């Protein structure tokens, strides 16, 4: 038998692009309209006007908190940042190895987070495990960065906001308010973004009923990929490689001729302006400086060239372009860019995990076999 009869069922598009695979109340991306939301609220507006704690409360709990509720959540999250001595020793040991930060965080989550299967937990217990995972993430990642720079890790400061304390634990000093706010805006913008690769991974793993650390561990592995969470650092590499804006078009032309991907431009969903990029562009302009002026000039030259290069496509500046600029201006080293993204996206993973576990059905799609069938085997 040399041929395989075609399936009559609908076949998902490559990469599952545009395929609806679940219902959710967490949020959605409306790429053709150029906006996205968290539980029905404009996410870019939330990032501009609210704290990271308020946004996290909304995503996890379903409502935007008032002053007292936000302060209570801030205190809960601050307490969750503290590591046990056993976990701190593990971080110190693993930071001395060649392991990247994401696998180190996966190992510590296994030590610090409730190991019981979500299938066996009440929703309140699941939420507690999720909060623990969200809380220790900046502490672990900040400690790894400090140890590898030859410095001592810092304990969390519960008096600081989540974003400011992350910067302090990574850089070794309390950040300037404008830097803390710039990073907080970034964290708010990237806390969730539909069924992206890492979020979908978290939901698939959660659907098996496994523990929270297991679901987050799979999501961390997905986020570490350069096509997902690693792009802002590569944008910074691009800006350094281009140098003067006059070099932008020749550099981009050479990269495209070589078949290489241009980081910071184009998106799988957005066909109008990426609101995350627009918001971070405004943040970058507020911070100011030579790099911002150069990034603006380079962007203004690249976009028309890409429009001519592929006139049948809508290629926009995506979130990674100005994320790289803003994170750099806030003092973060390039190797901390993906950890910073992780500090934010764990909230979205947590919201989706809780939603999946509350009304769970194991995800078990089918595949279309395209190989040969052999008689007698």
């Amino acid at each position: 038998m040399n041929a395989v009869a075609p399936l009559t069922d609908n076949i998902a598009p490559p990469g599952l692009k545009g395929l609806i695979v679940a219902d959710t109340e967490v949020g959605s991306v409306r790429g053709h309209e150029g906006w996205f939301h968290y539980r029905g609220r404009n996410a870019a507006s939330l990032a501009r006007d609210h704290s990271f704690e308020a946004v996290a409360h909304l995503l996890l709990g379903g409502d935007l908190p008032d002053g007292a509720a936000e302060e209570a959540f801030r205190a809960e999250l601050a307490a969750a940042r503290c590591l046990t001595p056993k976990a701190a020793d593990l971080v110190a040991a693993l930071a001395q190895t060649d392991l990247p930060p994401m696998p180190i965080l996966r190992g510590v989550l296994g030590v610090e987070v409730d190991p019981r299967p979500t299938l066996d937990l009440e929703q309140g217990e699941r939420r507690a495990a999720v909060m623990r995972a969200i809380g220790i993430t900046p502490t672990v990642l900040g400690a790894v960065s400090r140890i590898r720079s030859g410095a001592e890790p810092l304990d969390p400061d519960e008096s600081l906001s989540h974003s400011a304390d992350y910067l302090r634990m990574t850089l070794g000093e309390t950040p300037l308010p404008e830097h803390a706010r710039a990073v907080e805006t970034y964290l708010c913008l990237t806390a969730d973004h539909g069924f992206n690769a890492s979020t979908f991974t978290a939901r698939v793993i959660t659907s098996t009923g496994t523990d929270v650390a297991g679901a987050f561990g799979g999501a961390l592995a997905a986020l570490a990929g350069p096509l997902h969470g690693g792009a802002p650092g590569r944008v910074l590499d691009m800006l350094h490689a281009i140098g003067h804006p006059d070099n932008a078009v020749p550099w981009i032309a050479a990269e495209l001729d070589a078949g290489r991907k241009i980081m910071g431009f184009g998106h799988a969903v957005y066909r109008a302006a990426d609101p995350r990029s627009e918001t971070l562009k405004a943040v970058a302009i507020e911070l100011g400086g030579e790099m911002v002026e150069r990034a603006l000039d380079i962007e203004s030259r690249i976009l028309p060239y890409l429009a001519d290069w592929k006139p049948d496509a809508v290629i926009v500046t995506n979130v990674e372009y100005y994320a790289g600029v803003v994170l750099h201006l806030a003092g973060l080293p390039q190797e901390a860019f993906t950890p910073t993204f992780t500090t934010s996206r764990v909230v979205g993973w947590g919201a989706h995990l809780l939603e999946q576990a509350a009304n769970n059905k194991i995800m078990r799609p089918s595949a279309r076999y395209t190989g040969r069938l052999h008689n007698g085997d």
Side-chain angles (χ1 to χ4, degrees):
M1 183 182 297
N2 296 325
V4 178
L7 295 175
T8 58
D9 294 337
N10 292 330
I11 302 300
L16 306 182
K17 184 176 180 180
L19 186 70
I20 295 174
V21 297
D23 294 328
T24 183
E25 294 184 357
V26 175
S28 178
V29 181
R30 299 192 176 188
H32 287 278
E33 300 173 38
W35 77 289
F36 71 114
H37 65 86
Y38 299 154
R39 297 194 182 273
R41 295 177 179 268
N42 186 303
S45 296
L46 289 168
R48 288 191 295 266
D49 301 333
H50 293 276
S51 68
F52 180 73
E53 284 83 356
V55 169
H57 186 283
L58 171 66
L59 285 167
L60 293 170
D63 64 305
L64 197 61
D66 58 20
E70 183 175 345
E71 284 304 312
F73 185 84
R74 180 190 294 266
E76 181 185 6
L77 185 57
R81 289 199 292 271
C82 297
L83 292 177
T84 61
K86 180 179 180 180
D89 290 343
L90 180 60
V91 173
L94 293 178
Q96 303 296 333
T97 71
D98 293 332
L99 276 176
M102 297 301 103
I104 293 176
L105 178 56
R106 293 205 301 266
V108 179
L109 287 173
V111 171
E112 291 285 80
V113 177
D114 192 331
R116 292 177 294 168
T118 57
L119 188 66
D120 298 334
L121 302 180
E122 299 296 329
Q123 193 71 340
E125 294 173 315
R126 295 172 191 145
R127 182 190 177 280
V130 163
M131 285 293 290
R132 183 64 175 152
I134 293 170
I136 68 171
T137 292
T139 308
V140 172
L141 296 176
V144 172
S145 182
R146 292 277 295 164
I147 292 168
R148 289 184 171 172
S149 69
E152 289 293 319
L154 299 177
D155 292 330
D157 183 343
E158 295 188 24
S159 71
L160 295 178
S161 70
H162 200 64
S163 54
D165 205 19
Y166 166 66
L167 276 177
R168 186 190 67 86
M169 290 188 289
T170 301
L171 302 179
E173 58 185 13
T174 301
L176 295 173
E178 58 267 31
H179 291 168
R181 181 55 192 157
V183 171
E184 183 169 48
T185 302
Y186 170 78
L187 296 180
C188 289
L189 285 169
T190 54
D192 187 59
H193 203 242
F195 270 34
N196 56 83
S198 58
T199 297
F200 184 54
T201 299
R203 289 195 71 131
V204 171
I205 296 174
T206 299
S207 80
T208 71
T210 193
D211 60 292
V212 169
F216 274 41
L220 283 165
L223 190 74
L227 296 182
H228 192 9
R234 296 189 178 214
V235 167
L236 207 61
D237 289 338
M238 179 184 73
L239 292 176
H240 290 325
I242 290 173
H244 195 279
D246 287 346
N247 301 325
V249 168
W251 190 89
I252 291 293
E255 292 294 295
L256 292 173
D257 287 344
R260 289 189 281 268
K261 183 177 177 63
I262 306 300
M263 294 297 180
F265 294 92
H267 195 272
V269 178
Y270 287 111
R271 295 300 174 264
D274 184 338
R276 303 168 302 168
S277 178
E278 294 293 301
T279 304
L280 288 176
K281 182 177 183 176
V283 171
I285 291 171
E286 288 180 7
L287 293 174
E290 183 276 333
M291 172 174 274
V292 177
E293 295 301 319
R294 188 159 55 87
L296 291 167
D297 198 347
I298 289 172
E299 179 193 29
S300 72
R301 300 179 189 226
I302 289 177
L303 285 175
Y305 182 82
L306 293 177
D308 290 339
W309 173 69
K310 189 172 284 190
D312 57 337
V314 178
I315 301 178
V316 300
T317 308
N318 63 40
V319 64
E320 284 85 13
Y321 188 81
Y322 284 105
V325 174
V326 167
L327 297 180
H328 174 76
L329 292 177
L332 286 164
Q334 192 168 327
E335 59 268 21
F337 287 4
T338 299
T340 306
F341 187 11
T342 305
T343 296
S344 166
R345 188 52 60 85
V346 288
V347 174
W349 297 342
H352 282 277
L353 182 153
L354 293 173
E355 183 178 68
Q356 180 70 40
N359 188 25
N360 189 52
K361 184 174 180 61
I362 190 168
M363 294 192 185
R364 177 57 174 90
S366 298
R368 177 175 56 177
Y369 177 70
T370 59
R372 295 170 63 87
L373 294 177
H374 302 275
N375 289 328
D377 293 339

